[in-house]
Amino acid sequence: MKNNGKEHMFEKNDEIKSPKGSILLAGGAGYIGSHTAVELLKSGYNVVIADCHYNSSPVIYDRLKQITGVDIVHYNIDVSVEEQLDRVFGENELAAVIHFAGHKAVGESVREPLNYYQNNLSTTFSLLRMMERYQVPNIIFSSSATVYGMENRSPVREDVKTGSCINPYGWTKYMNEQILRDLTRANRRLSAVLLRYFNPAGAHESGLIGEDPKDTPNNLMPYISQVASGRLKMLSIYGDDYDTPDGTGVRDYIHVVDLAKAHVKAVGYALEHKGVETFNIGTGTGYSVLELVHAFERVNHVRIPYRITGRRSGDLAVCYADSTKAQEILGWRAQKNLEDMCRDAWNWQKKNPQGYREA
Ligand code: UFG
């Protein structure tokens, strides 16, 4: 690791000793990966990123350096191509892999299922092949609450039945979980931690890194941020006739920095355990669309024009986590609240109105 000697936003925590070997963040230049890189470095781990920048910007490495002072070793490669990944494993001693490498737009997955199945599964296959070849026995997988499908009541626990997914994106998460479960059964030296994210939101408090949707945002918080900045005219709220207190959909929004910290805990857990373990990563509290809109307006002193439209197909009324297991086993719980998410999302948006494109 190189350090340019400047002052940075954090002091490395030397109490946590970096394991022998770095943590590979496959698809690590994106929204969640970049925040995870910061928290891993802060906790004393070394980090390597492999990303083809399909849905991220190479500007991220400079931003990460501004935050951490570290020139992160990175590879502009396609994680699904074994020959390219082989170089990464050959040139670095790795202790664990975090697998963020996947397409994530729900609607696009319905229109282009083959691309989604091919990409989201082949990245897993090539990572697992390389882990086998280079004897790297630990993997953390970016899963999603989407694996709970339509049939479970919130707060949802990890041990309820999964499946009944409603789009190809969701099925790829479900299938990857199953692949990792089967592998840990067959190979007793392997450790896999499946993190089921709820609704990530917010940004690093510096405003240097944040969510940068490629096209018009599908998700609520980036959409609201772009309405606040004037880039989009008006928010459409997808239905106010759900069986919820104000009729709008309820979700478990989790600050991306809290989510990143959950990955640090998961890495620590994987290094010390074998087998497979699944954790919900949410706050355990649900907020409605209108509550989020009003919190954003209140915290940031802006107005969010909105109109109520019809329901979006495939949306649930309510989805929030029972996150007791992560608390008890990983010692992780969310520390930031909805106001923090709104403030940090807006700070990022104001400083980067066109995302990373202006930099
Ligand atoms: N919503 C609007 N207007 C918008 C966007 C969203 O009203 O412009 C509403 C939705 O109807 C929903 C809530 O805001 O009630 C949250 O919607 P998001 O699209 O932000 O998030 P989802 O809960 O639909 O999806 C998220 C992740 C998916 C994941 C899913 C299930 O984005 O990757 O949770 O875990 F699959």
Side-chain angles (χ1 to χ4, degrees):
M1 275 195 298
K2 289 177 223 150
N3 187 319
N4 64 3
K6 276 200 295 193
E7 274 209 18
H8 312 299
M9 287 177 194
F10 66 69
E11 292 297 319
K12 199 164 136 178
N13 181 351
D14 287 324
E15 279 170 30
I16 302 169
K17 295 289 168 240
S18 184
K20 205 157 166 263
S22 303
I23 313 301
L24 173 63
L25 275 52
Y31 175 43
I32 300 170
S34 56
H35 288 81
T36 300
V38 171
E39 296 306 318
L40 283 167
L41 288 165
K42 197 169 163 181
S43 297
Y45 289 101
N46 291 336
V47 166
V48 174
I49 292 179
D51 200 303
C52 67
H53 306 298
Y54 170 80
N55 197 15
S56 61
S57 165
V59 169
I60 198 79
Y61 304 112
D62 178 58
R63 298 293 179 90
L64 288 172
K65 185 170 178 181
Q66 287 182 53
I67 297 172
T68 66
V70 178
D71 266 325
I72 296 177
V73 176
H74 58 274
Y75 294 80
N76 185 350
I77 61 146
D78 184 340
V79 171
S80 67
V81 180
E82 275 185 38
E83 295 71 37
Q84 297 185 23
L85 203 52
D86 190 271
R87 230 185 93 212
V88 181
F89 278 73
E91 290 178 4
N92 298 278
E93 189 180 355
L94 299 175
V97 170
I98 308 185
H99 178 9
F100 298 104
H103 297 338
K104 60 175 188 180
V106 172
E108 190 178 61
S109 80
V110 176
R111 293 189 299 276
E112 303 171 20
L114 184 56
N115 283 343
Y116 271 67
Y117 285 114
Q118 182 158 2
N119 181 71
N120 290 9
L121 294 173
S122 61
T123 47
T124 306
F125 296 144
S126 54
L127 282 167
L128 289 168
R129 285 283 176 216
M130 289 307 117
M131 286 169 59
E132 194 174 42
R133 184 175 301 164
Y134 288 90
Q135 302 283 300
V136 180
N138 305 301
I139 182 163
I140 319 301
F141 176 60
S142 277
S143 191
S144 163
T146 192
V147 300
Y148 292 119
M150 300 294 275
E151 286 162 15
N152 294 296
R153 282 185 66 82
S154 293
V156 65
R157 279 167 49 116
E158 291 86 348
D159 53 5
V160 300
K161 193 169 169 293
T162 54
S164 70
C165 299
I166 44 164
N167 53 63
Y169 161 78
W171 281 116
T172 66
K173 294 295 181 191
Y174 176 85
M175 289 174 185
N176 275 324
E177 284 199 1
Q178 187 59 38
I179 290 164
L180 291 167
R181 244 180 249 116
D182 289 341
L183 247 77
T184 50
R185 244 174 246 138
N187 178 351
R188 299 284 168 189
R189 279 168 306 174
L190 198 61
S191 173
V193 180
L194 315 178
L195 298 182
R196 291 181 180 155
Y197 310 157
F198 280 69
N199 291 60
H204 189 262
E205 63 180 5
S206 64
L208 285 165
I209 59 174
E211 188 167 11
D212 180 20
K214 215 158 56 141
D215 307 304
T216 306
N218 297 308
N219 297 118
L220 183 59
M221 185 69 98
Y223 204 104
I224 289 178
S225 302
Q226 292 193 16
V227 170
S229 74
R231 191 167 156 188
L232 294 169
K233 276 206 165 51
M234 185 174 298
L235 171 71
S236 295
I237 295 184
Y238 299 139
D240 67 350
D241 56 352
Y242 285 105
D243 186 14
T244 61
D246 63 22
T248 64
V250 168
R251 295 290 183 277
D252 188 336
Y253 298 94
I254 168 85
H255 196 294
V256 66
V257 171
D258 279 332
L259 179 57
K261 288 178 177 166
H263 290 78
V264 178
K265 294 284 190 186
V267 167
Y269 182 86
L271 293 173
E272 290 184 358
H273 296 81
K274 298 293 154 212
V276 64
E277 208 58 75
T278 308
F279 298 100
N280 284 339
I281 305 298
T283 62
T285 304
Y287 289 100
S288 74
V289 177
L290 279 172
E291 282 177 309
L292 201 152
V293 168
H294 292 140
F296 196 99
E297 292 183 320
R298 193 175 60 245
V299 172
N300 297 318
H301 311 288
V302 291
R303 271 202 62 245
I304 308 296
Y306 68 83
R307 63 176 170 209
I308 308 290
T309 63
R311 292 183 180 191
R312 182 171 67 178
S313 115
D315 271 354
L316 289 169
V318 177
C319 181
Y320 61 94
D322 180 328
S323 50
T324 317
K325 188 177 169 192
Q327 199 174 320
E328 286 176 352
I329 297 182
L330 295 180
W332 172 89
R333 67 182 299 176
Q335 287 158 344
K336 293 177 183 279
N337 61 25
L338 193 67
E339 279 71 28
D340 298 323
M341 294 180 229
C342 292
R343 189 194 56 237
D344 293 338
W346 181 227
N347 183 40
W348 152 255
Q349 179 69 38
K350 271 188 305 185
K351 289 186 171 157
N352 308 270
Q354 303 298 325
Y356 294 110
R357 278 166 287 279
E358 278 175 340

